[in-house]
Amino acid sequence: MRVSVVIAAYNAQGYIAEAIESVLGQTVPPDEVIVIDDGSTDGTRSVLERFAGRIVALTQGNSGQAVAVNQGLALARGELIGFCDADDLWTARKQELQLARLERDGELDAVFGKVQQFVSPDVPEQQRARLTPAVEIMPGELKQCMLIRRDALMRIGAFDETLPATFFIAWLGRAKQGGLKTAHVDDIVVRRRLHPGNGGRLHTEAQNLQTLMALRKAIKAQRPPE
Protein backbone atom coordinates (compact mmCIF):
# COMPACT_ATOMS: atom_id res chain seq x y z
CA MET A 1 0.00 0.00 0.00
CA ARG A 2 1.27 3.46 -0.92
CA VAL A 3 1.75 5.90 1.94
CA SER A 4 1.51 9.68 1.63
CA VAL A 5 2.71 11.93 4.46
CA VAL A 6 1.42 15.48 4.87
CA ILE A 7 3.35 18.18 6.74
CA ALA A 8 2.07 21.72 7.26
CA ALA A 9 4.76 24.28 8.00
CA TYR A 10 4.67 27.89 9.13
CA ASN A 11 7.86 29.76 10.09
CA ALA A 12 9.49 26.43 10.86
CA GLN A 13 12.99 26.98 9.50
CA GLY A 14 14.59 25.88 12.79
CA TYR A 15 12.93 22.46 12.91
CA ILE A 16 11.44 21.50 9.56
CA ALA A 17 14.57 19.84 8.14
CA GLU A 18 14.83 17.49 11.11
CA ALA A 19 11.12 16.68 10.86
CA ILE A 20 11.38 15.84 7.15
CA GLU A 21 14.50 13.73 7.68
CA SER A 22 12.70 11.73 10.38
CA VAL A 23 9.97 10.90 7.86
CA LEU A 24 12.27 10.16 4.92
CA GLY A 25 14.56 8.10 7.14
CA GLN A 26 11.96 5.51 8.13
CA THR A 27 12.89 1.82 8.06
CA VAL A 28 9.96 1.56 5.64
CA PRO A 29 9.94 4.97 3.88
CA PRO A 30 6.73 6.63 2.65
CA ASP A 31 5.99 6.83 -1.05
CA GLU A 32 5.54 10.59 -1.03
CA VAL A 33 6.01 13.46 1.40
CA ILE A 34 3.94 16.59 0.81
CA VAL A 35 4.93 19.79 2.62
CA ILE A 36 2.61 22.79 2.50
CA ASP A 37 4.32 26.03 3.45
CA ASP A 38 1.55 28.14 4.97
CA GLY A 39 2.92 31.53 3.95
CA SER A 40 6.07 31.47 6.07
CA THR A 41 7.99 34.73 6.43
CA ASP A 42 11.25 33.17 7.62
CA GLY A 43 13.61 30.82 5.78
CA THR A 44 11.28 27.81 5.68
CA ARG A 45 11.03 27.87 1.90
CA SER A 46 14.81 27.83 1.42
CA VAL A 47 15.04 24.81 3.74
CA LEU A 48 12.40 22.99 1.69
CA GLU A 49 14.36 23.68 -1.49
CA ARG A 50 17.20 21.54 -0.10
CA PHE A 51 14.85 18.54 -0.35
CA ALA A 52 14.02 19.08 -4.03
CA GLY A 53 13.33 15.76 -5.71
CA ARG A 54 12.64 14.04 -2.38
CA ILE A 55 9.46 15.84 -1.38
CA VAL A 56 6.57 17.75 -2.94
CA ALA A 57 6.66 21.31 -1.58
CA LEU A 58 4.00 23.95 -2.21
CA THR A 59 3.43 27.42 -0.78
CA GLN A 60 0.07 29.00 -0.01
CA GLY A 61 -0.92 32.31 1.53
CA ASN A 62 -1.10 32.14 5.32
CA SER A 63 -4.44 30.45 5.98
CA GLY A 64 -3.87 28.29 9.05
CA GLN A 65 -2.75 24.73 9.68
CA ALA A 66 -6.12 23.11 8.98
CA VAL A 67 -6.28 24.68 5.51
CA ALA A 68 -2.70 23.63 4.79
CA VAL A 69 -3.32 20.04 5.89
CA ASN A 70 -6.49 19.81 3.80
CA GLN A 71 -4.54 21.15 0.81
CA GLY A 72 -1.93 18.45 1.32
CA LEU A 73 -4.63 15.78 1.54
CA ALA A 74 -6.11 16.96 -1.74
CA LEU A 75 -2.75 16.30 -3.41
CA ALA A 76 -1.96 12.99 -1.71
CA ARG A 77 -2.10 9.84 -3.85
CA GLY A 78 -1.48 7.15 -1.24
CA GLU A 79 -3.99 4.60 0.06
CA LEU A 80 -2.65 5.37 3.54
CA ILE A 81 -2.12 8.83 5.03
CA GLY A 82 0.32 9.89 7.73
CA PHE A 83 1.03 13.29 9.26
CA CYS A 84 4.00 14.96 10.88
CA ASP A 85 4.08 18.39 12.49
CA ALA A 86 6.88 20.64 11.28
CA ASP A 87 8.55 20.70 14.70
CA ASP A 88 8.05 17.04 15.68
CA LEU A 89 9.93 13.85 14.88
CA TRP A 90 8.82 10.41 13.78
CA THR A 91 10.72 7.57 15.42
CA ALA A 92 12.53 5.37 12.91
CA ARG A 93 10.08 2.42 12.92
CA LYS A 94 6.80 4.37 13.11
CA GLN A 95 5.62 3.55 9.64
CA GLU A 96 6.96 -0.02 9.70
CA LEU A 97 5.06 -0.87 12.89
CA GLN A 98 1.79 0.83 11.96
CA LEU A 99 1.80 -0.41 8.39
CA ALA A 100 2.29 -3.99 9.61
CA ARG A 101 -0.66 -3.61 11.98
CA LEU A 102 -2.94 -2.35 9.22
CA GLU A 103 -1.82 -5.10 6.85
CA ARG A 104 -2.56 -7.78 9.47
CA ASP A 105 -6.07 -6.50 10.14
CA GLY A 106 -8.05 -5.32 7.14
CA GLU A 107 -10.91 -4.23 9.41
CA LEU A 108 -8.84 -1.50 11.05
CA ASP A 109 -9.20 2.07 9.80
CA ALA A 110 -6.29 3.68 11.66
CA VAL A 111 -3.40 2.92 13.99
CA PHE A 112 -1.99 5.22 16.68
CA GLY A 113 1.03 4.85 18.98
CA LYS A 114 2.73 6.45 21.93
CA VAL A 115 4.15 9.98 21.98
CA GLN A 116 7.22 11.11 23.90
CA GLN A 117 7.36 14.81 24.77
CA PHE A 118 10.71 16.54 25.05
CA VAL A 119 11.90 20.10 25.60
CA SER A 120 13.76 21.24 22.51
CA PRO A 121 17.53 21.48 23.10
CA ASP A 122 17.58 25.08 21.85
CA VAL A 123 15.19 26.32 24.59
CA PRO A 124 17.02 28.67 27.00
CA GLU A 125 17.66 27.23 30.46
CA GLN A 126 15.42 29.81 32.17
CA GLN A 127 12.42 28.65 30.10
CA ARG A 128 12.93 24.88 30.31
CA ALA A 129 11.14 24.33 33.64
CA ARG A 130 7.98 26.02 32.32
CA LEU A 131 7.92 23.74 29.29
CA THR A 132 8.85 20.46 30.98
CA PRO A 133 5.85 18.11 30.65
CA ALA A 134 4.20 16.52 33.66
CA VAL A 135 4.02 13.25 31.70
CA GLU A 136 6.81 12.40 29.27
CA ILE A 137 5.38 9.33 27.50
CA MET A 138 1.68 8.74 26.88
CA PRO A 139 -0.75 7.20 24.36
CA GLY A 140 -0.86 9.59 21.43
CA GLU A 141 -4.24 10.31 19.89
CA LEU A 142 -2.66 13.04 17.81
CA LYS A 143 -2.69 13.36 14.04
CA GLN A 144 1.10 12.95 13.88
CA CYS A 145 0.75 9.64 15.77
CA MET A 146 -1.81 8.27 13.31
CA LEU A 147 -1.55 6.22 10.13
CA ILE A 148 -4.98 5.97 8.52
CA ARG A 149 -6.57 4.48 5.45
CA ARG A 150 -7.41 7.26 3.02
CA ASP A 151 -10.95 6.01 2.38
CA ALA A 152 -11.68 6.01 6.14
CA LEU A 153 -10.38 9.57 6.49
CA MET A 154 -12.47 10.76 3.57
CA ARG A 155 -15.51 8.96 4.96
CA ILE A 156 -15.30 11.09 8.11
CA GLY A 157 -14.62 14.23 6.09
CA ALA A 158 -12.04 17.01 5.84
CA PHE A 159 -10.66 18.90 8.83
CA ASP A 160 -12.72 21.85 10.09
CA GLU A 161 -10.88 24.96 8.90
CA THR A 162 -12.79 27.19 11.35
CA LEU A 163 -10.91 25.53 14.24
CA PRO A 164 -7.23 26.20 13.44
CA ALA A 165 -5.90 25.03 16.82
CA THR A 166 -8.22 22.11 17.57
CA PHE A 167 -9.30 20.82 14.16
CA PHE A 168 -7.93 17.34 14.83
CA ILE A 169 -9.73 17.08 18.20
CA ALA A 170 -12.96 17.94 16.41
CA TRP A 171 -12.25 15.51 13.58
CA LEU A 172 -11.39 12.66 15.95
CA GLY A 173 -14.61 13.27 17.86
CA ARG A 174 -16.57 12.93 14.62
CA ALA A 175 -14.56 9.89 13.66
CA LYS A 176 -15.28 8.08 16.92
CA GLN A 177 -18.97 8.89 16.63
CA GLY A 178 -18.82 7.52 13.08
CA GLY A 179 -17.40 4.21 14.24
CA LEU A 180 -13.76 4.64 13.22
CA LYS A 181 -11.96 1.38 14.04
CA THR A 182 -8.58 2.06 15.61
CA ALA A 183 -5.72 0.24 17.31
CA HIS A 184 -2.55 1.31 19.12
CA VAL A 185 0.98 -0.04 18.82
CA ASP A 186 2.79 -0.24 22.14
CA ASP A 187 5.76 1.80 20.92
CA ILE A 188 6.80 5.44 20.83
CA VAL A 189 6.06 6.56 17.28
CA VAL A 190 6.46 10.34 17.65
CA ARG A 191 8.71 12.64 19.66
CA ARG A 192 6.79 15.86 20.28
CA ARG A 193 9.01 18.89 20.57
CA LEU A 194 8.11 21.44 23.25
CA HIS A 195 9.34 24.99 22.70
CA PRO A 196 8.08 28.57 23.19
CA GLY A 197 6.62 28.60 19.68
CA ASN A 198 4.12 25.79 20.40
CA GLY A 199 0.75 27.43 19.68
CA GLY A 200 -1.07 25.52 22.39
CA ARG A 201 1.37 26.63 25.07
CA LEU A 202 1.43 30.27 23.98
CA HIS A 203 -2.31 30.66 23.37
CA THR A 204 -3.98 28.36 25.87
CA GLU A 205 -7.10 30.51 26.25
CA ALA A 206 -7.75 30.51 22.50
CA GLN A 207 -7.11 26.76 22.33
CA ASN A 208 -9.46 26.12 25.25
CA LEU A 209 -12.16 28.17 23.52
CA GLN A 210 -11.71 26.24 20.28
CA THR A 211 -11.82 22.94 22.18
CA LEU A 212 -15.13 24.01 23.72
CA MET A 213 -16.45 24.94 20.27
CA ALA A 214 -15.39 21.55 18.91
CA LEU A 215 -17.15 19.74 21.75
CA ARG A 216 -20.32 21.77 21.20
CA LYS A 217 -20.29 20.87 17.51
CA ALA A 218 -19.86 17.20 18.38
CA ILE A 219 -22.73 17.29 20.88
CA LYS A 220 -24.97 19.11 18.42
CA ALA A 221 -24.19 16.52 15.74
CA GLN A 222 -25.34 13.76 18.10
CA ARG A 223 -28.74 15.31 18.75
CA PRO A 224 -31.63 13.92 16.73
CA PRO A 225 -33.27 16.42 14.37
CA GLU A 226 -36.18 18.32 15.92
Side-chain angles (χ1 to χ4, degrees), residues 46-81:
S46 63
V47 174
L48 297 181
E49 289 171 355
R50 304 203 313 249
F51 292 91
R54 303 175 69 194
I55 67 172
V56 176
L58 296 176
T59 299
Q60 66 179 26
N62 182 239
S63 306
Q65 187 182 170
V67 176
V69 172
N70 281 338
Q71 173 70 4
L73 287 174
L75 298 171
R77 296 171 293 175
E79 294 90 2
L80 298 175
I81 305 293

Coordinates of all heavy atoms in Angstrom, one line a residue, residues 46-81:
S46 N 13.5 28.2 1.9 CA 14.8 27.8 1.4 C 15.2 26.5 2.0 O 16.0 25.7 1.3 CB 15.8 28.9 1.8 OG 15.9 29.0 3.3
V47 N 14.7 26.1 3.2 CA 15.0 24.8 3.7 C 14.4 23.7 2.9 O 15.0 22.7 2.6 CB 14.6 24.7 5.2 CG1 14.8 23.3 5.7 CG2 15.3 25.7 6.1
L48 N 13.1 24.0 2.5 CA 12.4 23.0 1.7 C 13.1 22.8 0.3 O 13.1 21.7 -0.2 CB 11.0 23.4 1.5 CG 10.1 23.6 2.7 CD1 8.7 24.0 2.4 CD2 10.1 22.3 3.5
E49 N 13.7 23.8 -0.2 CA 14.4 23.7 -1.5 C 15.5 22.7 -1.4 O 15.9 22.1 -2.5 CB 14.8 25.1 -2.0 CG 13.7 26.0 -2.4 CD 14.1 27.4 -2.7 OE1 15.3 27.7 -2.4 OE2 13.3 28.2 -3.1
R50 N 16.1 22.5 -0.2 CA 17.2 21.5 -0.1 C 16.7 20.1 -0.3 O 17.5 19.2 -0.5 CB 17.8 21.7 1.3 CG 18.3 23.1 1.6 CD 19.4 23.1 2.7 NE 19.1 22.3 3.8 CZ 18.9 22.8 5.0 NH1 18.8 24.1 5.2 NH2 18.7 22.0 6.1
F51 N 15.4 19.9 -0.2 CA 14.9 18.5 -0.4 C 14.2 18.3 -1.7 O 13.5 17.4 -1.9 CB 13.8 18.3 0.7 CG 14.4 18.2 2.1 CD1 14.5 19.3 2.9 CD2 14.8 17.0 2.6 CE1 15.0 19.3 4.2 CE2 15.3 16.9 3.9 CZ 15.4 18.0 4.7
A52 N 14.6 19.2 -2.7 CA 14.0 19.1 -4.0 C 14.3 17.7 -4.6 O 15.4 17.1 -4.5 CB 14.7 20.1 -4.9
G53 N 13.2 17.1 -5.2 CA 13.3 15.8 -5.7 C 13.0 14.7 -4.7 O 12.8 13.5 -5.1
R54 N 13.0 15.0 -3.4 CA 12.6 14.0 -2.4 C 11.3 14.3 -1.8 O 10.7 13.4 -1.2 CB 13.7 14.1 -1.3 CG 15.1 13.8 -1.8 CD 16.1 14.0 -0.7 NE 16.0 12.9 0.3 CZ 16.6 13.0 1.5 NH1 17.3 14.1 1.9 NH2 16.5 12.0 2.4
I55 N 10.8 15.5 -1.9 CA 9.5 15.8 -1.4 C 8.7 16.7 -2.4 O 9.3 17.2 -3.4 CB 9.6 16.6 -0.1 CG1 10.2 18.0 -0.3 CG2 10.3 15.9 1.0 CD1 10.1 19.0 0.9
V56 N 7.4 16.8 -2.2 CA 6.6 17.8 -2.9 C 6.4 18.9 -2.0 O 5.8 18.8 -0.9 CB 5.2 17.1 -3.3 CG1 4.3 18.2 -4.0 CG2 5.4 15.9 -4.2
A57 N 6.8 20.1 -2.4 CA 6.7 21.3 -1.6 C 5.9 22.4 -2.3 O 6.2 22.8 -3.4 CB 8.0 21.8 -1.2
L58 N 4.8 22.9 -1.7 CA 4.0 24.0 -2.2 C 3.8 25.1 -1.2 O 3.9 24.8 0.0 CB 2.6 23.4 -2.6 CG 2.6 22.4 -3.7 CD1 1.2 21.9 -3.9 CD2 3.1 22.9 -5.0
T59 N 3.6 26.3 -1.7 CA 3.4 27.4 -0.8 C 2.0 28.0 -1.0 O 1.6 28.1 -2.2 CB 4.5 28.5 -1.0 OG1 5.8 28.0 -0.8 CG2 4.2 29.7 -0.1
Q60 N 1.4 28.3 0.1 CA 0.1 29.0 0.0 C 0.1 30.3 0.9 O 1.0 30.4 1.7 CB -1.1 28.1 0.5 CG -1.0 27.8 2.0 CD -2.1 26.9 2.4 OE1 -2.7 26.1 1.6 NE2 -2.5 27.0 3.7
G61 N -0.8 31.2 0.6 CA -0.9 32.3 1.5 C -1.3 31.8 2.9 O -2.0 30.8 3.1
N62 N -0.9 32.6 3.9 CA -1.1 32.1 5.3 C -2.6 32.0 5.6 O -3.3 33.0 5.6 CB -0.5 33.1 6.3 CG -0.7 32.7 7.7 OD1 -1.3 33.4 8.5 ND2 -0.2 31.5 8.1
S63 N -3.0 30.8 5.8 CA -4.4 30.5 6.0 C -4.7 29.6 7.2 O -5.9 29.3 7.5 CB -5.0 29.7 4.7 OG -4.7 30.5 3.6
G64 N -3.7 29.1 7.9 CA -3.9 28.3 9.1 C -3.5 26.8 8.8 O -3.6 26.4 7.6
Q65 N -3.2 26.1 9.8 CA -2.7 24.7 9.7 C -3.8 23.8 9.1 O -3.5 23.0 8.3 CB -2.3 24.2 11.0 CG -1.6 22.8 10.9 CD -1.2 22.2 12.2 OE1 -0.9 21.0 12.3 NE2 -1.3 23.0 13.3
A66 N -5.1 24.0 9.5 CA -6.1 23.1 9.0 C -6.3 23.2 7.5 O -6.4 22.2 6.8 CB -7.5 23.4 9.7
V67 N -6.2 24.5 7.0 CA -6.3 24.7 5.5 C -5.1 24.0 4.8 O -5.2 23.4 3.8 CB -6.3 26.2 5.2 CG1 -6.3 26.4 3.7 CG2 -7.6 26.8 5.8
A68 N -3.9 24.2 5.4 CA -2.7 23.6 4.8 C -2.8 22.1 4.7 O -2.4 21.5 3.7 CB -1.5 24.1 5.6
V69 N -3.2 21.5 5.8 CA -3.3 20.0 5.9 C -4.3 19.5 4.9 O -4.1 18.6 4.2 CB -3.7 19.6 7.3 CG1 -3.9 18.1 7.3 CG2 -2.5 19.9 8.3
N70 N -5.5 20.2 4.8 CA -6.5 19.8 3.8 C -5.9 19.9 2.4 O -6.2 19.1 1.5 CB -7.7 20.7 4.0 CG -8.6 20.2 5.1 OD1 -8.5 19.0 5.5 ND2 -9.5 21.1 5.6
Q71 N -5.2 21.0 2.1 CA -4.5 21.1 0.8 C -3.6 20.0 0.5 O -3.6 19.4 -0.6 CB -3.8 22.5 0.7 CG -3.0 22.7 -0.5 CD -3.8 22.9 -1.7 OE1 -5.0 23.0 -1.7 NE2 -3.2 23.0 -2.9
G72 N -2.8 19.6 1.5 CA -1.9 18.4 1.3 C -2.7 17.2 1.1 O -2.3 16.4 0.2
L73 N -3.8 17.0 1.8 CA -4.6 15.8 1.5 C -5.2 15.7 0.1 O -5.3 14.7 -0.5 CB -5.8 15.7 2.6 CG -5.4 15.4 4.0 CD1 -6.6 15.6 4.9 CD2 -4.8 14.0 4.1
A74 N -5.6 16.9 -0.4 CA -6.1 17.0 -1.7 C -5.1 16.5 -2.8 O -5.5 16.0 -3.9 CB -6.6 18.4 -2.0
L75 N -3.8 16.7 -2.5 CA -2.7 16.3 -3.4 C -2.3 14.9 -3.2 O -1.6 14.3 -4.1 CB -1.6 17.2 -3.2 CG -1.8 18.7 -3.5 CD1 -0.6 19.6 -3.1 CD2 -2.1 18.9 -5.0
A76 N -2.5 14.3 -2.1 CA -2.0 13.0 -1.7 C -2.5 11.9 -2.6 O -3.7 11.9 -2.9 CB -2.2 12.7 -0.2
R77 N -1.7 10.9 -3.0 CA -2.1 9.8 -3.9 C -2.1 8.5 -3.2 O -2.4 7.5 -3.8 CB -1.2 9.8 -5.1 CG -1.3 11.1 -6.0 CD -0.2 11.0 -7.0 NE 1.1 11.2 -6.4 CZ 2.3 11.1 -7.1 NH1 2.2 10.9 -8.4 NH2 3.4 11.2 -6.5
G78 N -1.6 8.4 -1.9 CA -1.5 7.1 -1.2 C -2.8 6.6 -0.7 O -3.7 7.3 -0.5
E79 N -2.8 5.3 -0.6 CA -4.0 4.6 0.1 C -4.0 4.8 1.6 O -5.0 4.6 2.2 CB -4.0 3.1 -0.3 CG -4.2 2.8 -1.7 CD -2.9 2.7 -2.5 OE1 -1.8 2.9 -1.9 OE2 -3.0 2.4 -3.7
L80 N -2.8 5.1 2.1 CA -2.6 5.4 3.5 C -2.1 6.8 3.7 O -1.3 7.2 2.9 CB -1.7 4.4 4.2 CG -2.1 2.9 4.2 CD1 -1.0 2.0 4.7 CD2 -3.4 2.7 4.9
I81 N -2.5 7.4 4.8 CA -2.1 8.8 5.0 C -1.5 8.9 6.4 O -2.0 8.5 7.4 CB -3.3 9.8 5.0 CG1 -4.1 9.7 3.6 CG2 -2.9 11.2 5.2 CD1 -3.3 10.1 2.4

